[in-house]
C-alpha cells in the first residue's frame, strides 16, 4: 500500500525541466526522506503531490486518489511548505483554528489544546503571531500542518531554524505521528536527520531521481568502501596512500573512500607508519558522503554527461 | 463551499477588526458630508469680534446710507438663522440684507431664545478728508490698522457716484492687513451699490416703489407633475420640490457607493500582497484551490462592504425617522438596486485588486500597477455631473452601460426623476454581471500563478501571459 505514487511525472518551466520522468512509491506509514541539493526539483515534486502545481506529464496518486488538474489537495494531507508564513494579525489559536477549518476539521479545540501543550506554546495561545519569535512561529506552522489529523503529512525542511531542543521535540512528534499510522514525507538538507529518521529515502538531482530505497539498500549499493580514520599528530595528505580514492576531512576525523579492490590491511599498515592511529573503522558510506558523491562537482559533471548521453534518468 | 466560507470569514474579520476600518467608518461621514461637519465646527469657532472700519467718503452722500445699512446688519443679520422653514439661498440672503429693506421681511429675533451671534459686527467711523496731505491721511489710517485700532479703512472716491455713466470707472479702495477676510468687503460692495442706486433713483426724480415694480424679478419655483387620484378621480395639487434635497438622495448614494468600493475593495490588494510576500499562500493553497480562495476573499469583502452600508443606512434611517419631512427625499425604491450594484462592484473591482496584489511584490510596484483599476473606479465620478444635468442624455446613457461605470452612473440616472426606461437597469446589470464573472475568471488565472511567483513583480505583460497560458 502506497501513500503516494508518482508515475513518469515530468514538470517543465518553459524550456527548463524541473522534474524529469519521475516515478516514486512512498509506503504508507513510513517516514520518507526527500533529499537533494537546492534547486534540484524537491519543492516542485512536493508541490505536485500537493496539487499546487500540475505535472506536464505523468500520473500522481495520493492516498489512492488521482490528483486532478483543478482540485486542491486532499483534506487528509497536511503540508508544511518550505516557503511558509502566517497571518501576522491572527493569534496562535485563531491561526490553528483557521488551518484546521480550512482542512475541513471543524471541532478542533481539543486538538488545538493538545498540540499547544505538546509544543510548549500554551502560554502563547492568545498572542498574535507577530509577537512570536522565529522558532515559535515555526512551531505554529508545524502545528498548522498537522492540526487537522492528516493521514499523510509533507514537511519541507521542517528543522531549519529550530534550536536543538525544538529539533528533538519535532523529531519526537514526527515519530509519534508515524507510530499512529501517519505517513510522513520529510525533505531536509540535514543528512544526519535523514539517515537516522527516515525509513526510506529518495534523492533528486537536477530533476532526476538518483537514489530511492531504504538506507540499507542505498548503502548496500555503494558497498563497504569507506574508512573512518583518526590519526594523532599527523596531517600529511591521506589521498597519497594506494587504494584511497577520496578523502573527506571532518576536522577531528577523516572519511576515506577506498577503491572496491583496495586492501584495507595495507592501508592500515600505511596509516600506522604515518602516525598514531586512534580510530580505524571500515564502514558503509554515510548519506552525507553519498550525497556529496552525487551532487558534488565530480558527480554533477558525470550527471550532466549521463543526461546528455541518454536523455534518461540516472539510477 | 465550506472552505470558501472559512476564507471569507477570516478576510471579513481581519478587515472589520482592523484599526483602519474603524477609523475609516468614522472618517467617511466627514468625507461624505463634503466637509459639512468641518464647516459647522469652523462656523462655531468663528471670530465674531467687532470689526472697526474707517470710511473716507469723498462723495459726501454715501456714508449715511452705509451707516444705516450697517446698523441694520448689526441688529438683524449677524445671528444664527432660526432652523424652521426653508433655508434661504445664500445669495438672496445677502442681497436682501444689503438692500436694507423693511426689517420686518427678515426673520426677526424671537424671544425668549437669544440667537447666537455668528458674524462680526461692523463699526463704521467717518473720516472727513481735510484738505491737508492725502498721503498723510492714508498713512495715519494705515498706522491705526497696524496698531489694531482699526480692522480696515476704505476710501470711496468722488467718481463712484457717477460710475457706469459714459464708461466711467471708479473703485472703492479697501485697505487692510487681512485681505483674505471676505465678509466686510462683500458687505461694503453690496451696501455701496444699493446706496448709489437709491441716490440715483432719487436724483432722477423717480418713485422707488414704481421702479421696484419695473425691475422686480419673479422666482422660479420647481414643482412635481400633477396627477389624478385613482380612487377619487380628483386631480391632486403638485408638490413643491426642493431641488437640492432631491439631488441629495442620489448624491449620497453615489458617494456611499464610491467610498464603499474604495474602502472595501482596495484592502484586497494589501491582503493579497501580504499572503504573497509573507509566504502564506502555499499553505493555504494546500487546502483549497486558487479559485476557491479568490472567491472566499471576494465574499469576505462583500461582507465588509455590506457592513459599512448597514452601519450608515441605519444611521441615516434613525436620522430620517426623526425628520418626517426628510422621508420624501429618500430613494427607498433604489435600495435593492443599490445593493445589487454594490455587490457587483465589490466583486468586479475586488477581483482586479486581487489580481494586481498577486502580481506585485512591493508597494511601489503596486502603486503603479493599480492605476488602471483606479481610473476605472474614478471614471464614473468624472461624468457624474453630466449624468445629473441630463440623466437621459446620450453621454450619460451610453456610459451607464459601460460595466465599470454602471453601478454609479445607472444608479444616479435611476434615482433622478423621471428615471430611465425600465429595461435599461436590467440590461446594464446583466452586462455588469457578465463583466464581473469575466473579471473574476481572469483574476483567478492571474492570481493562481502570481500568488506563488517570487522575485520581481510582474508587469502587465506577465499578467497577460498568465491570463492566456495560466
Amino acid at each position: 500500500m502506497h501513500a503516494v505514487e508518482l508515475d513518469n511525472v515530468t514538470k517543465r518551466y518553459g524550456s527548463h525541466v524541473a522534474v524529469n520522468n519521475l516515478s516514486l512509491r512512498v509506503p504508507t506509514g513510513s517516514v520518507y526522506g526527500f533529499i537533494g541539493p537546492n534547486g534540484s526539483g524537491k519543492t516542485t515534486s512536493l508541490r505536485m503531490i500537493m496539487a499546487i502545481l500540475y505535472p506536464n506529464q505523468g500520473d500522481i496518486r495520493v492516498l489512492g486518489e488521482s490528483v486532478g488538474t483543478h482540485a486542491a489537495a486532499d483534506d487528509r494531507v497536511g503540508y508544511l511548505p518550505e516557503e511558509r508564513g502566517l497571518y501576522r494579525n491572527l493569534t496562535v489559536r485563531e491561526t490553528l483554528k483557521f488551518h484546521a477549518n480550512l482542512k475541513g476539521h471543524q471541532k478542533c479545540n481539543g486538538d488545538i489544546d493538545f498540540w499547544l501543550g505538546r509544543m510548549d506554546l500554551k502560554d502563547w495561545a492568545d498572542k498574535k503571531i507577530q509577537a512570536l519569535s522565529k522558532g515559535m512561529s515555526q512551531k505554529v506552522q508545524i502545528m498548522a500542518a498537522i492540526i487537522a489529523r492528516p493521514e499523510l503529512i509533507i514537511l519541507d525542511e521542517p528543522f531549519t531554524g529550530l534550536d536543538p531542543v525544538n529539533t528533538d521535540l519535532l523529531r519526537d512528534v514526527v515519530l509519534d505521528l508515524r507510530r499512529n499510522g501517519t505517513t510522513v514525507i520529510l525533505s531536509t538538507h540535514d543528512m544526519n536527520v535523514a539517515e537516522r529518521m527516515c525509513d526510506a529515502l529518495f534523492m533528486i538531482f537536477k530533476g532526476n531521481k538518483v537514489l530511492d530505497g531504504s538506507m540499507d539498500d542505498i548503502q548496500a549499493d555503494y558497498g563497504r568502501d569507506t574508512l573512518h580514520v583518526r590519526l594523532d599528530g599527523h596531517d600529511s595528505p591521506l589521498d597519497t596512500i594506494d587504494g584511497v580514492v577520496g578523502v573527506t576531512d571532518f576536522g577531528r576525523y577523516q572519511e576515506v573512500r577506498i577503491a572496491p579492490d583496495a586492501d584495507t590491511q595495507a592501508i592500515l599498515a600505511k596509516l600506522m607508519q604515518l602516525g598514531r592511529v586512534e580510530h580505524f573503522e571500515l564502514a558503509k558510506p554515510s548519506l552525507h558522503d553519498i550525497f556529496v558523491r552525487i551532487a558534488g562537482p565530480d558527480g554533477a559533471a558525470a550527471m550532466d554527461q549521463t543526461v546528455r548521453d541518454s536523455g534518461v534518468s540516472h539510477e | 463551499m465550506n472552505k470558501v466560507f472559512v476564507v471569507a470569514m477570516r478576510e471579513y474579520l481581519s478587515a472589520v477588526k482592523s484599526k483602519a476600518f474603524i477609523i475609516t467608518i468614522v472618517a467617511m461621514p466627514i468625507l461624505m458630508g463634503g466637509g459639512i461637519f468641518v464647516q459647522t465646527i469652523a462656523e462655531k469657532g468663528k471670530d465674531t469680534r467687532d470689526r472697526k472700519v474707517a470710511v473716507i467718503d469723498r462723495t459726501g452722500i454715501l456714508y449715511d446710507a452705509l451707516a444705516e445699512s450697517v446698523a441694520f446688519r448689526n441688529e438683524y443679520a449677524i445671528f444664527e438663522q432660526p432652523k424652521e422653514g426653508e433655508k434661504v439661498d445664500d445669495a438672496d440672503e445677502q442681497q436682501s440684507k444689503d438692500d436694507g429693506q423693511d426689517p420686518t421681511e427678515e426673520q426677526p429675533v424671537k424671544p425668549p431664545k437669544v440667537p447666537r451671534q455668528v458674524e462680526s459686527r461692523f463699526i463704521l467711523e467717518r473720516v472727513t478728508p481735510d484738505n491737508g496731505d492725502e498721503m498723510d491721511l492714508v498713512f495715519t489710517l494705515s498706522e491705526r490698522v497696524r496698531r489694531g485700532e482699526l480692522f480696515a479703512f476704505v476710501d470711496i472716491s468722488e467718481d463712484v457716484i457717477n460710475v457706469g455713466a459714459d464708461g466711467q470707472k471708479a473703485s472703492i479702495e479697501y485697505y487692510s492687513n487681512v485681505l483674505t477676510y471676505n465678509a466686510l468687503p462683500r458687505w461694503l460692495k453690496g451696501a455701496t451699490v444699493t446706496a448709489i442706486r437709491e441716490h440715483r433713483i432719487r436724483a432722477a426724480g423717480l418713485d422707488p416703489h414704481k421702479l421696484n415694480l419695473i425691475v422686480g424679478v419673479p422666482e422660479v419655483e420647481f414643482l412635481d407633475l400633477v396627477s389624478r387620484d385613482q380612487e377619487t378621480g380628483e386631480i391632486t395639487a403638485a408638490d413643491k420640490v426642493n431641488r437640492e434635497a432631491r439631488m441629495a438622495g442620489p448624491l449620497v448614494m453615489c458617494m456611499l457607493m464610491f467610498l464603499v468600493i474604495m474602502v472595501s475593495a482596495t484592502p484586497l490588494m494589501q491582503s493579497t500582497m501580504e499572503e504573497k510576500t509573507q509566504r502564506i499562500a502555499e499553505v493555504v493553497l494546500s487546502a483549497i484551490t486558487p479559485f476557491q480562495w479568490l472567491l472566499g476573499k471576494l465574499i469576505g469583502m462583500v461582507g465588509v462592504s455590506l457592513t459599512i452600508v448597514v452601519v450608515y443606512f441605519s444611521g441615516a434611517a434613525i436620522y430620517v425617522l426623526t425628520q418626517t419631512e426628510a422621508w420624501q427625499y429618500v430613494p427607498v425604491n433604489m435600495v435593492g438596486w443599490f445593493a445589487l450594484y454594490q455587490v457587483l462592484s465589490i466583486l468586479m473591482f475586488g477581483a482586479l485588486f486581487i489580481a494586481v496584489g498577486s502580481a506585485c511584490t512591493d508597494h511601489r510596484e503596486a502603486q503603479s500597477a493599480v492605476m488602471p483599476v483606479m481610473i476605472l473606479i474614478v471614471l464614473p465620478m468624472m461624468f457624474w455631473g453630466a449624468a445629473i444635468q441630463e440623466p437621459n442624455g446620450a453621454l450619460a446613457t451610453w456610459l451607464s452601460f459601460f460595466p465599470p461605470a454602471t453601478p454609479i452612473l445607472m444608479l444616479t440616472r435611476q434615482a433622478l426623476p423621471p428615471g430611465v426606461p425600465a429595461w435599461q437597469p436590467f440590461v446594464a446589470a446583466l452586462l455588469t454581471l457578465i463583466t464581473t464573472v469575466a473579471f473574476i475568471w481572469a483574476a483567478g488565472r492571474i492570481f493562481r500563478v502570481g500568488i506563488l511567483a517570487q522575485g520581481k513583480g510582474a508587469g502587465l505583460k506577465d499578467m497577460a501571459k498568465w491570463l492566456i497560458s495560466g
Side-chain angles (χ1 to χ4, degrees):
Chain A
M1 184 57 189
H2 299 287
V4 177
E5 296 165 90
L6 270 67
D7 285 312
N8 310 105
V9 169
T10 297
K11 176 69 186 176
R12 290 182 213 93
Y13 295 114
S15 60
H16 172 69
V17 181
V19 172
N20 183 22
N21 203 30
L22 178 65
S23 296
L24 197 65
R25 297 278 181 278
V26 178
T28 302
S30 66
V31 175
Y32 196 88
F34 262 47
I35 59 173
N38 297 323
S40 57
K42 257 183 316 184
T43 298
T44 300
S45 305
L46 295 179
R47 282 181 175 177
M48 285 193 289
I49 295 171
M50 289 310 300
I52 292 169
L53 293 177
Y54 305 118
N56 298 101
Q57 279 160 27
D59 292 321
I60 299 174
R61 277 178 308 286
V62 175
L63 299 174
E65 288 187 28
S66 190
V67 174
T69 51
H70 286 288
D74 202 299
D75 282 347
R76 296 174 293 163
V77 186
Y79 182 42
L80 174 75
E82 188 183 5
E83 302 282 2
R84 51 201 169 218
L86 299 167
Y87 289 107
R88 296 167 57 77
N89 56 358
L90 292 185
T91 66
V92 171
R93 188 178 290 280
E94 285 167 347
T95 302
L96 295 176
K97 193 163 165 34
F98 172 69
H99 283 97
N101 291 345
L102 210 53
K103 280 288 186 187
H105 184 38
Q106 303 300 335
K107 289 174 185 151
C108 53
N109 286 329
D111 285 309
I112 291 174
D113 286 329
F114 170 78
W115 282 111
L116 284 172
R118 180 77 207 271
M119 291 287 200
D120 204 15
L121 282 174
K122 264 216 152 71
D123 297 340
W124 294 83
D126 298 312
K127 297 272 194 310
K128 289 198 168 177
I129 296 294
Q130 59 201 8
L132 266 53
S133 73
K134 192 165 176 275
M136 282 193 263
S137 46
Q138 187 160 345
K139 287 203 277 184
V140 177
Q141 284 153 354
I142 292 162
M143 283 192 275
I146 54 188
I147 196 73
R149 303 182 186 184
E151 290 173 34
L152 165 67
I153 170 152
I154 296 177
L155 304 172
D156 197 352
E157 299 287 349
F159 294 99
T160 319
L162 289 183
D163 63 32
V165 175
N166 283 318
T167 303
D168 287 352
L169 177 63
L170 176 57
R171 189 195 57 219
D172 291 346
V173 166
V174 169
L175 295 178
D176 277 355
L177 287 169
R178 184 184 62 172
R179 223 165 284 139
N180 296 331
T182 310
T183 308
V184 181
I185 294 178
L186 189 82
S187 124
T188 180
H189 280 308
D190 187 334
M191 294 304 123
N192 283 325
V193 169
E195 194 168 337
R196 282 183 306 210
M197 279 183 70
C198 299
D199 302 309
L201 281 162
F202 153 78
M203 180 169 170
I204 186 168
F205 181 48
K206 298 196 172 189
N208 293 281
K209 180 164 82 173
V210 287
L211 290 177
D212 188 9
S214 70
M215 197 57 216
D216 289 340
D217 293 343
I218 291 168
Q219 283 176 327
D221 282 351
Y222 282 82
R224 283 179 174 273
D225 67 349
T226 301
L227 294 172
H228 290 167
V229 174
R230 188 152 76 235
L231 268 183
D232 186 40
H234 186 80
D235 30 298
S236 77
L238 302 183
D239 49 9
T240 54
I241 301 172
D242 273 352
V244 171
V245 181
V247 178
T248 312
D249 193 347
F250 286 97
R252 287 188 58 246
Y253 81 97
Q254 281 81 34
E255 196 172 275
V256 178
R257 199 170 139 204
I258 55 175
D261 55 349
D263 180 355
T264 50
Q265 291 302 313
I267 293 171
L268 177 60
K270 182 72 184 166
L271 285 171
M272 286 167 76
Q273 286 170 20
L274 287 171
R276 185 180 170 76
V277 177
E278 289 188 345
H279 184 95
F280 183 87
E281 180 191 2
L282 181 58
K284 295 171 184 170
S286 67
L287 188 58
H288 180 101
D289 192 35
I290 295 171
F291 186 103
V292 173
R293 279 188 218 176
I294 296 170
D298 298 343
M303 179 77 191
D304 288 342
Q305 190 60 45
T306 317
V307 172
R308 263 199 302 279
D309 289 350
S310 61
V312 295
S313 67
H314 164 86
E315 274 189 78
Chain B
M1 207 54 212
N2 203 2
K3 293 184 176 193
V4 173
F5 179 72
V6 173
V7 173
M9 269 313 276
R10 195 213 69 81
E11 197 80 25
Y12 175 81
L13 288 176
S14 122
V16 296
K17 273 158 71 180
S18 74
K19 284 193 194 89
F21 178 81
I22 293 161
I23 291 168
T24 320
I25 214 162
V26 174
M28 260 200 347
I30 300 172
L31 292 170
M32 273 177 33
I36 289 173
F37 180 65
V38 178
Q39 261 180 2
T40 319
I41 287 187
E43 198 82 10
K44 287 204 171 134
K46 215 165 159 182
D47 184 358
T48 55
R49 279 177 300 179
D50 292 353
R51 316 266 169 178
K52 233 173 155 185
V53 53
V55 179
I56 311 169
D57 175 20
R58 295 178 196 281
T59 66
I61 46 177
L62 287 180
Y63 183 84
D64 289 338
L66 289 179
E68 198 180 308
S69 166
V70 91
F72 172 79
R73 179 183 179 280
N74 289 351
E75 193 163 348
Y76 298 107
I78 59 173
F79 300 99
E80 202 167 36
Q81 293 292 311
K83 279 213 166 142
E84 59 222 274
E86 286 202 332
K87 196 179 176 303
V88 191
D89 194 359
D90 252 2
D92 297 342
E93 192 180 338
Q94 191 65 39
Q95 193 62 40
S96 59
K97 277 176 217 159
D98 297 340
D99 287 347
Q101 286 157 354
D102 189 359
T104 52
E105 277 181 31
E106 291 289 323
Q107 288 287 344
V109 183
K110 277 189 185 170
K113 193 190 164 201
V114 180
R116 212 165 49 83
Q117 186 183 343
V118 290
E119 293 280 348
S120 292
R121 290 200 302 162
F122 299 150
I123 313 287
L124 299 192
E125 175 188 322
R126 189 199 293 262
V127 176
T128 323
D130 48 7
N131 295 318
D133 188 355
E134 280 298 310
M135 291 311 285
D136 233 24
L137 177 64
V138 174
F139 176 71
T140 314
L141 289 171
S142 295
E143 282 298 292
R144 289 183 63 198
V145 172
R146 280 194 196 98
R147 285 198 298 274
E149 293 169 21
L150 290 175
F151 182 77
F153 66 95
V154 286
D155 190 342
I156 304 172
S157 79
E158 224 173 325
D159 303 335
V160 163
I161 208 80
N162 294 318
V163 74
D166 305 327
Q168 172 91 47
K169 283 184 183 168
S171 50
I172 303 164
E173 286 166 340
Y174 178 88
Y175 297 82
S176 176
N177 50 4
V178 189
L179 291 170
T180 46
Y181 184 72
N182 266 334
L184 178 55
R186 203 173 52 209
W187 163 81
L188 187 75
K189 189 177 176 189
T192 314
V193 167
T194 312
I196 292 171
R197 200 182 287 155
E198 286 194 352
H199 169 77
R200 289 179 186 168
I201 291 167
R202 280 199 204 94
L206 295 171
D207 178 356
H209 179 72
K210 275 188 182 160
L211 189 77
N212 276 345
L213 208 63
I214 295 165
V215 300
V217 182
E219 296 280 329
V220 178
E221 196 159 53
F222 296 94
L223 295 163
D224 260 337
L225 294 180
V226 170
S227 54
R228 188 186 289 277
D229 194 316
Q230 295 277 328
E231 289 168 16
T232 61
E234 277 177 44
I235 293 170
T236 52
D239 290 328
K240 280 187 195 171
V241 179
N242 181 340
R243 290 169 81 222
E244 279 74 32
R246 179 149 289 180
M247 255 184 318
L251 175 71
V252 168
M253 278 207 303
C254 291
M255 288 306 286
L256 186 61
M257 171 91 70
F258 178 72
L259 285 161
V260 163
I261 294 170
M262 295 302 282
V263 171
S264 8
T266 42
L268 281 172
M269 186 175 79
Q270 298 295 334
S271 77
T272 308
M273 270 175 71
E274 187 198 355
E275 279 147 357
K276 180 187 166 103
T277 54
Q278 298 289 321
R279 320 281 163 114
I280 299 163
E282 200 167 340
V283 188
V284 176
L285 286 177
S286 73
I288 55 173
T289 65
F291 195 72
Q292 284 176 314
W293 194 7
L294 179 102
L295 223 53
K297 288 167 78 69
L298 286 175
I299 292 171
M301 275 307 155
V302 168
V304 172
S305 76
L306 291 176
T307 305
I308 298 173
V309 170
V310 165
V311 167
Y312 284 119
F313 273 9
S314 350
I318 290 166
Y319 174 76
V320 165
L321 285 176
T322 60
Q323 315 265 322
T324 39
E325 261 180 68
W327 263 119
Q328 57 176 314
Y329 304 118
V330 180
V332 182
N333 53 333
M334 287 289 109
V335 170
W337 283 106
F338 181 90
L340 174 72
Y341 288 138
Q342 192 208 317
V343 169
L344 286 175
S345 298
I346 300 294
L347 293 175
M348 180 165 55
F349 294 118
L352 297 182
F353 279 118
I354 291 175
V356 169
S358 74
C360 296
T361 50
D362 64 45
H363 287 90
R364 219 160 2 129
E365 275 173 19
Q367 264 176 7
S368 58
V370 85
M371 275 310 288
V373 185
M374 285 299 186
I375 289 170
L376 279 185
I377 296 177
V378 175
L379 179 88
M381 298 310 283
M382 296 194 279
F383 293 96
W384 195 74
I388 289 259
Q389 282 298 315
E390 278 193 279
N392 286 311
L395 181 70
T397 306
W398 281 109
L399 271 173
S400 66
F401 282 96
F402 177 58
T406 296
I408 287 178
L409 288 185
M410 188 57 91
L411 189 71
T412 303
R413 294 182 54 227
Q414 283 174 260
L416 286 171
V420 297
W423 61 270
Q424 286 194 0
F426 290 97
V427 172
L430 184 68
L431 286 175
T432 311
L433 180 68
I434 292 167
T435 309
T436 302
V437 171
F439 278 10
I440 292 175
W441 174 84
R445 295 190 52 98
I446 293 171
F447 178 72
R448 192 156 68 91
V449 185
I451 193 76
L452 284 177
Q454 296 295 343
K456 84 168 185 67
L460 276 176
K461 215 172 111 187
D462 296 295
M463 284 196 246
K465 204 175 85 187
W466 296 344
L467 180 61
I468 294 158
S469 60

